[in-house]
Amino acid sequence: MSRRPIIAGNWKMHNNRKASAELVCGIKEAIEGIDKDALPEVVVAPVFTSLDVVSQNICNCGCGRIQLAAQNCYFEEKGAFTGEVSIDMIKDFDAKFIIIGHSERRQIFGESDEMINKKAKAIIASGLTPIICCGETLEQRELGVTDSHIASQIVKALEGVAPADVANVVIAYEPIWAIGTGKTCDSAEANRVIKGIRTTLSQIAGKENADKVRILYGGSVKPETIKEQMAQSDIDGALVGGASLKVDSFVEIIKGAM
Ligand code: PGA
């Protein structure tokens, strides 16, 4: 089963409009000459306030080499939800993906599995693709409950999603202790957990659908780690934080996934 790799940059709460435009233009220029079919699917996720400017810069080049993602959304269509942004508003910028359930959203902003499930269903219904994050804390890892915790996060996130729709979601396995710490999860171990995620997906949606799901690794991905990560049987790409904020390191990671 060949799955097209994804390299996604999660810019988190960085970059105003000017810095966002510079970063996306830098990436665009650096990959312009590369054969489109040889590239992984390249995705950037700026802050909401930069979606417009990044979208314009991606569209202007017309090369279709970079896709836009949002870092979050709300599941209701509209209404009295001060401070929230709907999926339709994100779609307005021609975004293709929305990251949901990032550990920072779960831990800092108290997002529950139930909310993530509502977001996943609303994103799928809108025709966009959710990038659903999961991952264990260091404490859970040390207690030996990593696999059951991840399986539970996946089952809850996808409750009520039709099997055929499960095939199109993207999952990002991001051990929380590896995020922003410089401590990358051992590639073979990340692959083992990701295989477990695929088994859970098979139980939910059948093997054929599960085999289509792209599952990314995230957590201190660097230019030096990407080749080994991509060489694993079940790692289909990366969700990159810190190293996606500089053109050089992000482009090196993209090339490392080719
Ligand atoms: P990091 O972040 O690459 O800086 O560890 C990854 C993420 O949080 O998605």
Side-chain angles (χ1 to χ4, degrees), residues 10 12 99 102-104 133 174 178-182 218-222 239-244:
N10 173 10
K12 308 196 179 183
I99 299 170
H102 191 280
S103 60
E104 286 150 19
C133 303
E174 301 204 302
I179 295 178
T181 58
S220 297
V221 172
K222 302 178 260 269
L239 182 55
V240 189
S244 74

Side-chain angles (χ1 to χ4, degrees), residues 191-206:
N191 195 51
R192 188 194 67 78
V193 176
I194 287 176
K195 274 188 170 172
I197 294 174
R198 211 175 290 289
T199 303
T200 303
L201 292 171
S202 293
Q203 287 156 1
I204 297 172

Side-chain angles (χ1 to χ4, degrees), residues 42-59:
V42 177
V43 180
V44 293
V47 288
F48 285 134
T49 49
S50 287
L51 282 175
D52 201 4
V53 72
V54 171
S55 174
Q56 280 171 27
N57 278 288
I58 292 172
C59 293

Side-chain angles (χ1 to χ4, degrees), residues 45 143 160 216 239 248 250:
L143 284 169
L216 318 181
L239 182 55
D248 290 355
F250 192 57

Side-chain angles (χ1 to χ4, degrees), residues 148-160:
S148 57
H149 173 69
I150 304 287
S152 149
Q153 284 185 321
I154 297 297
V155 168
K156 287 175 182 166
L158 293 172
E159 210 177 291

Side-chain angles (χ1 to χ4, degrees):
M1 162 67 54
S2 86
R3 296 177 291 261
R4 186 173 182 208
I6 297 180
I7 298 296
N10 173 10
W11 295 358
K12 308 196 179 183
M13 200 172 74
H14 293 283
N15 296 331
N16 60 14
R17 296 171 74 247
K18 183 170 179 285
S20 298
E22 281 169 8
L23 180 52
V24 77
C25 287
I27 299 165
K28 199 171 81 178
E29 276 167 31
I31 63 173
E32 226 154 38
I34 304 174
D35 176 14
K36 210 160 123 185
D37 295 332
L39 276 172
E41 193 159 7
V42 177
V43 180
V44 293
V47 288
F48 285 134
T49 49
S50 287
L51 282 175
D52 201 4
V53 72
V54 171
S55 174
Q56 280 171 27
N57 278 288
I58 292 172
C59 293
N60 285 349
C61 86
C63 65
R65 283 179 171 76
I66 305 176
Q67 302 289 346
L68 187 62
Q71 296 174 18
N72 184 28
C73 66
Y74 196 54
F75 49 80
E76 295 287 356
E77 274 174 37
K78 61 181 170 189
F81 304 105
T82 303
E84 293 298 318
V85 176
S86 78
I87 296 160
D88 237 27
M89 292 162 189
I90 293 166
K91 214 173 161 180
D92 207 18
F93 299 111
D94 296 320
K96 183 171 172 197
F97 298 93
I98 303 181
I99 299 170
I100 53 170
H102 191 280
S103 60
E104 286 150 19
R105 301 274 347 146
R106 292 180 193 257
Q107 292 193 318
I108 306 171
F109 302 100
E111 288 198 11
S112 63
D113 287 316
E114 191 191 356
M115 280 177 80
I116 293 155
N117 175 242
K118 284 184 179 168
K119 291 181 184 193
K121 286 193 282 198
I123 293 167
I124 293 165
S126 79
L128 269 61
T129 301
I131 299 178
I132 304 169
C133 303
C134 60
E136 80 287 0
T137 61
L138 188 57
E139 199 189 349
Q140 287 168 322
R141 176 157 283 269
E142 284 169 352
L143 284 169
V145 297
T146 298
D147 298 359
S148 57
H149 173 69
I150 304 287
S152 149
Q153 284 185 321
I154 297 297
V155 168
K156 287 175 182 166
L158 293 172
E159 210 177 291
V161 175
D165 289 331
V166 170
N168 296 318
V169 307
V170 175
I171 309 275
Y173 168 57
E174 301 204 302
I176 297 171
W177 48 270
I179 295 178
T181 58
K183 261 173 78 181
T184 317
C185 180
D186 174 72
S187 299
E189 170 58 12
N191 195 51
R192 188 194 67 78
V193 176
I194 287 176
K195 274 188 170 172
I197 294 174
R198 211 175 290 289
T199 303
T200 303
L201 292 171
S202 293
Q203 287 156 1
I204 297 172
K207 188 175 183 310
E208 203 181 314
N209 288 317
D211 280 344
K212 290 183 185 151
V213 177
R214 289 177 291 175
I215 310 179
L216 318 181
Y217 167 77
S220 297
V221 172
K222 302 178 260 269
E224 309 88 71
T225 65
I226 190 69
K227 278 208 188 309
E228 191 185 295
Q229 286 153 345
M230 293 307 296
Q232 304 296 317
S233 62
D234 279 63
I235 301 183
D236 302 318
L239 182 55
V240 189
S244 74
L245 294 171
K246 294 257 179 309
V247 173
D248 290 355
S249 48
F250 192 57
V251 170
E252 262 191 75
I253 291 171
I254 294 169
K255 288 182 178 165
M258 288 172 60

